[in-house]
């Protein structure tokens, strides 16, 4: 059995999830994991919150909350959003609450130091005199010295992707108060990325097959890989191992270093809860495991270069990523979703109003896979009313309601003399049939969503050609055979829908008379005449209901 770890980028516990996050890293991971499970793979889905860093301490202080309570609040908000969208993981934890996280992070530090991949150095760092604190890189901003962009952060330029050394800014500004910081001396430890690149990771990156947008981004990083600081002067975070001595007092591991280790520490937490505390190694230290990271494009350097370097550098046999299907940005009103910037809305309330499966399907159909894409409520409503109500819902409702009224609400009989004709019509002559799972495995979620609708269109063409309601008067046996064929198709349609629209898929499954969970069924693939039929004539059907009702656009505000 294939084994796959599916991770979604840990959400920084400093604000709510918005659709930019969800379309970028969380919904695609859920659809992917659901698909693989139906295909018979063993899947471990892991996510949670990244709880450390200066941004959190400052926000907590402004909110008048202690750090632990502050991150717990946002972790709870994240869980509520996952629940609202039915996004499921085997574990959702947090880097400040996971009982294994601090020790495992320190173990990574120690192993990297033992293996010669850490450099201790006395160095200058920007210090804000007004705020009396060393500034973490994201709390420094200035003009990028590579491309000239004025919005460069102290760790990275969002415009050109260059890793930034904030000491090289000609016009550094403290993001907290706007003053000009000064350089002061402090001791820090650095991850020797150039050494790791030259020994292993550079060739691994060059030889690896990446998603197109990731390939373009990652190759640029290899040209000039700097050493990367992995410690910070602050109190909130994972303290350094005791063997570093007095030099490590008052310092913590840099948040970017300990955050991805959370994928492993959360797995350890889960396996202990399951009563198999050593089983985490079967996932993370096994050549049989495929590791897939779902992230936004701003996390590409960390998941394609830095974290693989850390995994390799420990020498402990950790698996390296098999795929990093990073998505681009999902925008709103021409700009990035931003809660702090007021360009967002409450996801839980949105889902309550517009429906979980409608929201999931629309986000899948507009996912920013290779370029930025835009959320539009008008487009969501159009998708709901055409693809869902007009194509899938209309098919299920008109077929099953007609059977309930005219065939005693049981699966009609397929008469043998019609089998070959019915199979030929629906399998060969009513349009192309695609396997959504094959597209999901290629990380083509938009095309997979289209395939779900296109497959329903095949059945609608079949209905239009045979018109079983009229045929019932002229040739009732052939009408029964046609309706039997349509029940069989809906039996496939429910399973095709399951990873994308789990609730509507289950509703359709029950309308077909099943008491089981559709998500527990084997993935069907695409039908072939030899073995695609499985329903028994005369089997009772469930109560037909409006599967995908049309939705109304909101009234314009006065």
């Amino acid at each position: 059995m294939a084994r796959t770890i599916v991770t979604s980028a840990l959400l920084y516990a400093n604000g709510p999830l918005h659709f930019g996050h969800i379309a970028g890293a969380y919904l695609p991971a859920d659809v992917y994991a659901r698909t693989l499970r139906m295909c018979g793979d063993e899947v471990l889905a892991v996510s949670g919150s990244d709880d450390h860093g200066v941004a959190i301490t400052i926000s907590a202080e402004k909110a008048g909350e202690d750090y632990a309570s502050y991150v717990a609040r946002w972790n709870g908000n994240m869980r509520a959003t996952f629940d609202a969208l039915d996004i499921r993981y085997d574990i959702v934890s947090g880097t400040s609450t996971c009982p294994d996280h601090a020790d495992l992070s320190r173990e990574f530090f120690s192993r990297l130091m033992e293996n010669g991949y850490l450099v201790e150095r006395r160095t200058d760092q920007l210090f804000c005199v007004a705020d009396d604190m060393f500034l973490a890189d994201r709390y420094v901003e200035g003009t990028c010295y590579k491309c000239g962009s004025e919005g460069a952060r102290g760790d990275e330029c969002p415009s050109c992707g260059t890793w930034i050394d904030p000491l090289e800014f000609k016009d550094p500004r403290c993001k907290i108060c706007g003053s000009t910081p000064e350089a002061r001396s402090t001791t820090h430890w650095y991850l020797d990325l150039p050494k790791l690149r030259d020994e292993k990771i550079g060739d691994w990156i060059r030889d690896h097959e990446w998603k197109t947008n990731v390939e373009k981004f990652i190759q640029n990083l290899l040209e000039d890989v700097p050493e990367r600081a992995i410690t910070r002067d602050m109190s909130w975070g994972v303290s350094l191992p005791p063997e570093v001595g007095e030099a490590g007092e008052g310092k913590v591991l840099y948040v970017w270093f300990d955050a991805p280790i959370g994928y492993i520490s959360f797995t350890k937490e889960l396996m202990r809860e399951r009563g198999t505390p050593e089983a985490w190694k079967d996932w993370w230290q096994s050549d049989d495991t495929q590791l897939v990271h779902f992230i936004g494009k701003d996390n590409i350097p960390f998941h394609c270069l830095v974290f693989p370097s850390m995994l390799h550098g420990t020498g402990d046999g950790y698996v390296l990523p098999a795929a990093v299907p990073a998505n681009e940005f999902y925008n709103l009103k021409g700009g990035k979703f931003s809660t702090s910037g007021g360009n967002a809305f409450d996801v839980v309330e949105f889902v309550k109003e517009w429906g979980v499966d409608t929201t999931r399907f629309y986000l899948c159909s507009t996912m920013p896979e290779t370029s930025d894409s835009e959320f539009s409520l008008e487009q969501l409503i159009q998708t709901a009313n055409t693809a869902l109500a007009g194509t899938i819902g209309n098919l299920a409702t008109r077929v099953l309601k007609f059977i309930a009224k005219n065939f005693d609400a049981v699966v009609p009989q397929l008469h043998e003399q019609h089998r070959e004709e019915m199979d030929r019509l629906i399998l060969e002559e009513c349009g192309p049939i695609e396997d959504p799972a094959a597209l999901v495995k290629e990380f083509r979620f938009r095309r997979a969503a289209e395939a779900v609708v296109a497959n329903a269109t095949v059945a609608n063409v079949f209905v239009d050609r045979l018109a079983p309601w009229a045929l019932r008067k002229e040739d009732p046996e052939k009408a029964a055979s046609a309706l039997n064929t349509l029940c069989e198709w809906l039996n496939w349609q429910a399973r095709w829908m399951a990873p994308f629209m789990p609730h509507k898929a289950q509703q359709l499954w029950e309308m077909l008379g099943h008491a089981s969970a559709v998500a527990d069924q084997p993935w069907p693939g695409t039908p072939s005449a030899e073995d695609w039929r499985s329903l028994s004539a005369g089997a009772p059907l469930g109560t037909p209901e409006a599967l995908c009702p049309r939705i109304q656009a909101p009234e314009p505000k006065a």
Side-chain angles (χ1 to χ4, degrees):
M1 179 185 293
R3 182 189 291 124
T4 304
I5 302 172
V6 176
T7 74
S8 292
L10 303 190
L11 178 71
Y12 199 50
N14 196 31
L17 279 165
H18 52 60
F19 277 171
H21 300 126
I22 292 161
Y26 302 99
L27 182 57
D30 182 68
V31 172
Y32 185 75
R34 288 174 182 268
T35 302
L36 292 191
R37 287 191 173 107
M38 291 185 72
C39 289
D41 292 3
E42 189 177 4
V43 178
L44 178 71
V46 179
S47 193
S49 59
D50 172 6
D51 297 343
H52 299 131
V54 174
I56 284 172
T57 62
I58 292 171
S59 296
E61 289 162 3
K62 287 181 179 179
E65 296 181 63
D66 64 84
Y67 304 150
S69 298
Y70 182 81
V71 299
R73 174 160 62 87
W74 288 120
N75 184 284
N77 178 278
M78 172 186 65
R79 292 170 187 266
T81 305
F82 288 162
D83 289 344
L85 283 160
D86 201 11
I87 293 173
R88 300 182 182 182
Y89 296 95
D90 293 285
I91 184 167
V92 175
S93 190
T95 56
S96 67
T97 57
C98 172
D100 298 278
H101 185 71
D103 285 343
L104 184 61
S105 298
R106 284 189 284 266
E107 181 181 313
F108 261 73
F109 182 102
S110 297
R111 295 290 288 144
L112 289 164
M113 186 162 61
E114 291 168 8
N115 293 334
Y117 297 119
L118 295 189
V119 178
E120 181 182 351
R121 182 178 295 119
R122 191 79 181 167
T123 184
D124 286 343
Q125 185 176 334
L126 292 178
F127 184 91
C128 180
V129 177
D131 292 304
D132 191 29
M133 62 184 294
F134 282 101
L135 296 176
D137 49 21
R138 288 207 175 198
Y139 272 77
V140 182
E141 56 187 5
T143 302
C144 177
Y145 44 80
K146 289 285 187 181
C147 72
S149 171
E150 295 182 358
R153 302 190 305 257
D155 64 338
E156 181 185 4
C157 174
S159 297
C160 69
T162 297
W163 280 3
I164 295 294
D165 179 352
L167 291 167
E168 292 190 31
F169 276 142
K170 295 180 179 178
D171 57 345
R173 298 180 301 278
C174 171
K175 198 171 181 180
I176 303 168
C177 67
S179 66
T180 300
E182 64 182 40
R184 290 192 180 181
S185 180
T186 185
T187 297
H188 282 296
W189 283 260
Y190 292 75
L191 180 63
D192 195 342
L193 285 174
K195 183 176 181 181
L196 285 157
R197 175 198 61 191
D198 295 342
E199 286 188 5
K200 166 74 175 181
I201 299 301
D203 287 341
W204 174 76
I205 287 174
R206 282 184 284 267
D207 295 341
H208 204 71
E209 183 176 343
W210 302 99
K211 192 178 168 189
T212 305
N213 60 320
V214 176
E215 174 83 23
K216 294 176 182 177
F217 200 108
I218 191 64
Q219 294 298 345
N220 292 334
L221 291 177
L222 290 176
E223 296 177 8
D224 184 20
V225 177
E227 294 176 350
R228 191 81 171 171
I230 66 169
T231 56
R232 275 292 174 254
D233 292 288
M234 59 184 300
S235 60
W236 176 243
V238 176
S239 60
L240 273 58
E243 61 262 29
V244 303
E246 292 183 4
E249 293 179 2
K251 300 182 190 297
V252 297
L253 294 176
Y254 202 167
V255 63
W256 68 258
F257 180 85
D258 85 270
I261 297 170
Y263 300 137
I264 308 171
S265 63
F266 297 174
T267 304
K268 293 186 73 172
E269 178 183 359
L270 174 66
M271 295 307 162
R272 185 188 302 104
E273 291 173 355
R274 290 179 175 178
T276 55
E278 296 301 310
W280 69 272
K281 297 176 183 177
D282 297 335
W283 290 92
W284 283 97
Q285 295 177 347
S286 170
D287 291 338
D288 296 330
T289 297
Q290 172 180 260
L291 173 61
V292 180
H293 292 306
F294 285 89
I295 59 170
K297 67 179 176 181
D298 51 342
N299 266 321
I300 290 174
F302 298 103
H303 287 77
C304 294
L305 173 60
V306 179
F307 189 43
S309 296
M310 293 163 56
L311 292 169
H312 168 70
T314 65
D316 291 332
Y318 286 105
V319 295
L320 300 183
V324 183
N327 277 340
E328 301 291 300
F329 290 139
Y330 195 60
N331 296 326
L332 176 67
K333 300 175 184 176
K336 288 195 294 185
F337 272 91
S338 171
T339 306
S340 60
N343 200 37
F345 43 78
D346 188 292
V347 171
V348 174
E349 291 303 314
F350 183 92
V351 172
K352 286 179 182 177
E353 181 172 0
W354 299 103
V356 55
D357 280 3
T358 298
T359 303
R360 285 174 61 102
F361 186 84
Y362 172 72
L363 292 179
C364 281
S365 69
T366 56
M367 207 167 276
E369 294 172 358
T370 56
S371 61
D372 293 356
S373 59
E374 181 100 359
F375 172 85
S376 162
L377 180 59
E378 293 76 15
Q379 192 178 30
L380 178 144
I381 293 170
Q382 182 181 6
T383 298
N385 290 338
T386 54
L388 302 187
T391 303
I392 297 174
N394 181 51
L395 170 68
T397 301
R398 62 176 174 165
V399 168
L400 295 177
K401 285 190 173 182
F402 185 76
I403 292 173
K405 181 178 179 180
N406 297 284
F407 288 84
D408 299 323
V410 300
V411 177
Q413 176 72 43
L414 171 68
H415 296 274
E416 266 317 302
Q417 67 268 29
H418 303 129
R419 179 186 294 271
E420 183 179 349
E421 178 188 0
M422 296 295 155
D423 286 351
R424 185 185 70 254
L425 275 173
I426 200 161
L427 299 180
E428 300 177 16
E429 298 181 9
C430 291
I433 304 164
E434 288 192 271
D435 183 358
L439 296 163
V440 167
K441 290 179 181 181
E442 295 173 353
F443 311 113
R444 300 170 65 194
F445 296 94
R446 295 172 72 140
R447 281 286 296 112
E450 291 172 6
V452 171
V453 178
N455 288 350
T457 300
V458 169
N460 279 313
V461 172
F462 179 89
V463 169
D464 293 341
R465 284 197 182 186
L466 290 180
W469 9 94
L471 192 60
R472 176 174 167 269
K473 299 176 182 177
E474 305 163 7
D475 189 342
E477 287 191 353
K478 189 171 184 178
S481 294
L483 291 164
N484 173 283
T485 299
L486 288 165
C487 285
E488 296 280 9
W489 195 267
L490 289 171
N491 208 44
W492 286 65
Q493 190 71 43
R495 288 172 286 172
W496 285 326
M497 291 164 56
F500 307 89
M501 297 179 284
H503 297 268
K504 293 187 185 300
Q506 184 63 32
Q507 183 183 357
L508 177 56
W509 192 245
E510 293 175 5
M511 286 163 59
L512 290 164
H514 300 296
S516 57
V518 67
D520 293 338
Q521 306 309 306
W523 184 259
T526 52
S528 59
E530 294 77 20
D531 57 6
W532 80 286
R533 295 177 182 272
S534 62
L535 298 178
S536 299
L541 297 170
T543 303
E545 302 169 342
L547 182 65
C548 303
R550 292 178 62 84
I551 58 178
Q552 298 298 317
E555 294 292 330
K557 294 181 180 180

